[in-house]
Amino acid sequence: MELKAPEQEVSRFRARVAAAAVLVLVGFALIIARFVYLQIIRYDYYSTRAEENRISLVPIEPNRGLITDRKGVVMARNYSAYTLEITPSKVGNVDDTIDDLAEFIDIQAKDRKRFKKLVEESKNFESLPIRTRLTDEEVAKFIARRYRFPGVDIKARLFRQYPLNDLASHAIGYIGRINQKEMAKIEEDDDMVENYRGTEHIGKTGLEQSYENDLHGVTGFEQVEVDASGRAVRSLARTPPIPGNNLQLTLDSDLQRVAEQAFGDRRGALVAIDPNNGDILAFVSMPRFDPNLFVDGITPDNWDVLNTSADKPMLNRALNGAYPPGSTFKPFMALGALETGKRSASMIFNDPGYFVFGNNTFHDDKVGGHGAVDMVKSIVVSCDSYYYSLANDMGIDLIASFMSKLGFGARTGIDIEGESVGVLPSPEWKKRRFKRPEQQKWYAGETISIGIGQGYNAYTMLQMAHATATLAGGGVVYKPHLVKYVTDAASGKRRTIEPTPIATLDFKPEHLDVIRRAMVGVTTFGTGAKAFQGAKYQVAGKTGTAQVFSLKGAKYHEGDVHERLRDHAVFIAYAPADHPKIAMAVLVENGGWGAQAAAPIARQVLDYYLEGIKPTGAAPDEEGAEE
Amino acid sequence: MITLGEVRYFLQRIVRPIDPFLLVISLIIMGCAYVVMLSASPERINSHIINICAALVVMWIVAGQPPQRLHNFAVPLYVLGLLLLIGVALFGDVSKGARRWLNLGVMRIQPSELMKIAMPLMLAWYFQRREGSLKFYDFLVAIVILAVPTALIIIQPDLGTAILVLAAGFFVIFFAGLSWKLIIPAGVLGIAAIVAIVSYQDQICASDVKWPGLHDYQKHRVCTLLDPSSDPRGKGFHTIQSTIAVGSGGFFGKGWRMGTQTHLDFLPERHTDFILAVVSEEFGFAGVLAIAILYCLLIGRGLLIASNAATMFGRLLAGAVTMIFFTFAFVNMGMVSGILPVVGVPLPMISYGGTSLVTLCLGIGILMSIQQHRRRR
């Protein structure tokens, strides 16, 4: 069937074919133009995009620096362990996933609770641990089932460990997961953002916080080629991390242990300082806590226990507990009197047992008084009337200006954060402190009880120890510090935290000598004599009793109100009295009379530090806990 | 004994229907496909070779048929295809959200593929019948013949195949002499619609807006084409990664088997619909240009064959089949370079996949057959 088409129709068809050919050419021209645009004009852009696709910078977390005591005993270290981690945004139902995992991995209710808390505190795309320290068997079991759990993975992570557990926990502090507030702070600094890309933990309190920059180290990076699913195919380049610097402390862990054990169940604080250089030898706040609890994220139960306990174990009493010093203030008052010429050492004060100021009578604690009292006796027997009268003669301004030189009412500059200022009372302080004009006025009567360390006086044991060390050191003021050396882990180079004399107070040696004799008298035949019976060294000390002044924000529970209303026992001391190696301040909350509760603790510490005598019957602290 | 003459005669029987120009171009394109496939998906190279051989056999068989026989097949093929499409709509299997497959017990078939060839055959057959007395009414009939199966494919939904079937049918009608008065306004309208969509994309792509007659996933495709970054991990991923592969290839490419987008799995569907992105990444603009030139030569030869065809049936069929190649190539290249939505159209004779390869070689065979029986002056 050969149909002959009319020529006219064929030519019309050929016109259409020509039109189609034009369409084809225009179409391909369009396509080619697009490829020219992509491949030639925008080549650099897309080339970069392709490189970004394939190259991923994986941060390598540096080893956090170690913390050792002055003799090299490890107080904070790292260990590597496997953790099971979930990225909540990548799993459908988190609870179901955990249920499925729990079929072959031991996941307890506390793990779930802790995980829930982590989820609430973090952003959704973070990988969060549900279980840490997996056993090899658990790792194997998970790997065999990994395909069933997208968004769940096993990671090898470095963990912080505090092998001495509770020991010196308030000085060491702890690290914990970076929270959103800390993250916001990190993000303010570009270098820091880069350096914390692989880091999940940060120092939260204590030295872990204040030396964060030294301890953290420099994050390393590995350039890896990744495929579309983010899996590393091969390594292209690697910048190794630089481990954090190690801290060697001034603390003596054995001394610290003796001091902590001397407290027993009692609450309180103790700070011991080497008066020759400001080294802090012991830094105690009781009760303590176990910093290991915080490392993986603390469980809500543990958190509740630590925070609701009436004993307030998380309160750093040595750093933040401001207490009236009581009679331990008297040696400083006496020195002030000598230095300002308000009293001479030999001047006799006849103590009737009270001091009258205007319409008020201030009583001595000994009915009938101490009779004829000179300066040395005033300290040895702790005569209140002597100091009522002295305070009145000096006046508040002179007291305040003298005491401020010794560091009362000011931060000592210790190398951990959050130190309290305490209260050095003065008319200026009152103006700042109170709002209403009638409260702002300083009444002369208020000066009287300042003289015996009561009234508005409130100092931390750190400040007390610091002032005692200045006294012991003949007026040279050193900045107290917990870190002796910062050691570069890679090069081994050691940076010494130099003892920095902040000031040299030109106290007259004969004045200091009077005070020393008086304080030695306290421990040999005075109020503290019983506690130091048989000591082979000479101790300069002073007992004190602080009227209870509730701690800031402390709540009194009705059940134990009586015990909690008892006076705080205070004791300051330095020894050996003629060439002091250690100065300290001790406080026992609600311990009653200073000589009874606080001085024996100081005795144990001094016995150990000066004579190497370990207290009898004290159990060795739990040491080197299992990992 | 077989004489030399007999061998020569036998060889002539084999060679005679073949158009050497078309064959050489096709072989070059398939050779390119072989090289690219060795990079994109070396594990499929053997089955790809088998597909090529099967397709060449089909090409040769069809080339040997006179156009008259193709003419006789037109109506039965079309009716069969239509019935199968209706069957799919009623009893088809659903896979990946689309009802495309018909389970015949022994095998599953995709009848929409058949329509790519049956449609131009049927329309060419119809216009051949009405030759000499072509009226406006005939174009209406042709549009119905085209619209019914196309509609059935759209509702499956399979936008890619629908576009190809529609294009195949449209080009028959176009070559048959559909008035420019109709084509130009339609074209203008279409361009206006595209301009409108692009300029109002924010409003029409808002998540609560429903598009009449289209599935959500189709709306998604268009919207992610307009703004791939709106869904970089989901629907926009294909387009974004493909343009990165293309752009990063530069002028000469990264080298064979050196494409990072390809080999690190960033490029999706790299052996099928997005194989041109592999070419672009590894052989650069030079490779793309070479492929485009090969297609132009193939299409040019096809259009030449169409203008020399002896009958109206031959002219229309050859023209339409040729333009199917163009449509395939244009849509695929546009898709890979991010100017057309991702609709699932393979790159002709290069993408992996037996069905489309056989269909396309069948088309080449048809062109060869028509060329064999061309008009002699």
Side-chain angles (χ1 to χ4, degrees), chain B residues 78-93:
Chain B
Y78 179 81
V79 172
L80 178 69
L82 196 58
L83 288 175
L84 288 174
L85 279 178
I86 293 168
V88 168
L90 296 177
F91 317 109
D93 286 352

Side-chain angles (χ1 to χ4, degrees), chain A residues 399-420:
Chain A
I399 296 175
S401 77
F402 179 77
M403 292 301 169
S404 68
K405 287 189 227 160
L406 285 160
F408 288 105
R411 292 189 179 87
T412 63
I414 188 178
D415 45 357
I416 50 181
E417 291 175 28
E419 186 185 0
S420 291

Side-chain angles (χ1 to χ4, degrees), chain A residues 477-492:
Chain A
V477 187
Y478 285 103
K479 192 193 257 186
H481 52 267
L482 283 158
V483 173
K484 197 149 185 68
Y485 307 111
V486 177
T487 311
D488 187 311
S491 68

Side-chain angles (χ1 to χ4, degrees), chain B residues 53-338:
Chain B
C53 294
L56 287 174
V57 170
V58 169
M59 180 199 287
W60 179 75
I61 292 171
V62 174
Q65 311 303 314
Q68 185 56 44
R69 195 167 291 158
L70 300 175
H71 184 264
N72 294 341
F73 267 113
V75 180
L77 266 183
Y78 179 81
V79 172
L80 178 69
L82 196 58
L83 288 175
L84 288 174
L85 279 178
I86 293 168
V88 168
L90 296 177
F91 317 109
D93 286 352
V94 178
S95 132
K96 290 185 193 167
R99 193 183 290 275
R100 294 177 186 171
W101 299 85
L102 194 60
N103 199 335
L104 298 181
V106 285
M107 61 183 293
R108 288 191 341 150
I109 60 162
Q110 202 176 340
S112 49
E113 279 297 320
L114 180 62
M115 267 297 163
K116 286 181 193 166
I117 293 297
M119 178 60 71
L121 270 177
M122 177 67 195
L123 285 170
W125 172 89
Y126 180 79
F127 285 116
Q128 173 75 71
R129 258 181 71 102
R130 307 290 298 160
E131 191 181 14
S133 55
L134 218 50
K135 302 250 167 36
F136 181 68
Y137 155 85
D138 292 307
F139 287 100
L140 287 184
V141 173
I143 285 166
V144 172
I145 291 173
L146 175 59
V148 173
T150 306
L152 285 169
I153 297 168
I154 286 177
I155 61 166
Q156 287 182 349
D158 184 351
L159 208 56
T161 310
I163 286 170
L164 294 174
V165 170
L166 190 69
F170 167 79
F171 282 115
V172 178
I173 298 172
F174 169 77
F175 284 123
L178 181 64
S179 168
W180 285 111
K181 285 178 199 156
L182 284 173
I183 297 169
I184 289 170
V188 170
L189 216 65
I191 289 167
I194 289 168
V195 170
I197 287 175
V198 170
S199 34
Y200 290 99
Q201 63 168 90
D202 288 347
Q203 285 89 326
I204 59 176
C205 286
S207 58
D208 50 337
V209 178
K210 282 264 170 208
W211 288 11
L214 287 178
H215 286 257
D216 263 357
Y217 87 97
Q218 288 163 333
K219 173 192 161 189
H220 247 293
R221 278 186 182 172
V222 177
C223 287
T224 51
L225 175 82
L226 294 171
D227 182 15
S229 59
S230 68
D231 189 10
R233 285 275 146 207
K235 302 280 178 204
F237 186 77
H238 286 41
T239 305
I240 291 173
Q241 295 304 336
S242 175
T243 40
I244 292 173
V246 170
S248 65
F251 196 89
F252 289 113
K254 297 174 187 170
W256 186 54
R257 284 183 162 173
M258 304 291 278
T260 56
Q261 289 285 103
T262 303
H263 291 282
L264 294 169
D265 293 336
F266 289 101
L267 190 61
E269 306 287 338
R270 61 173 188 254
H271 61 285
T272 56
D273 293 353
F274 284 89
I275 198 159
L276 185 68
V278 179
V279 176
S280 310
E281 188 181 24
E282 300 193 347
F283 301 97
F285 180 71
V288 175
L289 197 62
I291 300 273
I293 288 170
L294 286 170
Y295 284 135
C296 281
L297 292 173
L298 187 82
I299 290 163
R301 181 66 178 172
L303 290 178
L304 195 69
I305 289 170
S307 23
N308 291 332
T311 64
M312 186 178 198
F313 174 76
R315 280 195 296 275
L316 297 183
L317 186 59
V321 164
T322 303
M323 292 307 282
I324 287 177
F325 276 85
F326 168 69
T327 312
F328 261 90
F330 180 80
V331 172
N332 181 273
M333 292 172 118
M335 193 170 99
V336 167
S337 59

Side-chain angles (χ1 to χ4, degrees), chain A residues 3 5 7 9-10 13-14 16 27-28 31 34-36 38-40 43 46 49 53-54 226-228, chain B residues 128 131 174 178 241 246-248 250 260-261 264-266 280 285 306-308 312 315 330 337 375 377:
Chain A
L3 292 168
E7 279 307 314
E9 206 211 335
V10 170
F13 177 78
R14 286 189 171 161
R16 286 288 160 120
F28 275 115
I31 294 289
R34 173 69 176 169
F35 277 83
V36 166
L38 291 178
Q39 299 193 284
I40 295 166
Y43 167 71
Y46 285 109
R49 290 281 306 266
N53 260 351
R54 110 188 145 94
V226 293
D227 67 11
Chain B
Q128 173 75 71
E131 191 181 14
F174 169 77
L178 181 64
Q241 295 304 336
V246 170
S248 65
T260 56
Q261 289 285 103
L264 294 169
D265 293 336
F266 289 101
S280 310
F285 180 71
S307 23
N308 291 332
M312 186 178 198
R315 280 195 296 275
F330 180 80
S337 59
R375 202 156 59 127
R377 286 171 211 243

Side-chain angles (χ1 to χ4, degrees), chain A residues 340-363:
Chain A
T340 56
K342 290 290 177 186
R343 291 281 186 280
S344 71
S346 54
M347 198 182 279
I348 299 293
F349 173 79
N350 278 305
D351 172 24
Y354 55 85
F355 177 78
V356 179
F357 180 81
N359 295 327
N360 292 316
T361 304
F362 293 84
H363 287 281

Side-chain angles (χ1 to χ4, degrees), chain A residues 321-337:
Chain A
Y323 305 85
S327 301
T328 59
F329 202 52
K330 287 173 184 168
F332 303 105
M333 283 295 293
L335 183 62

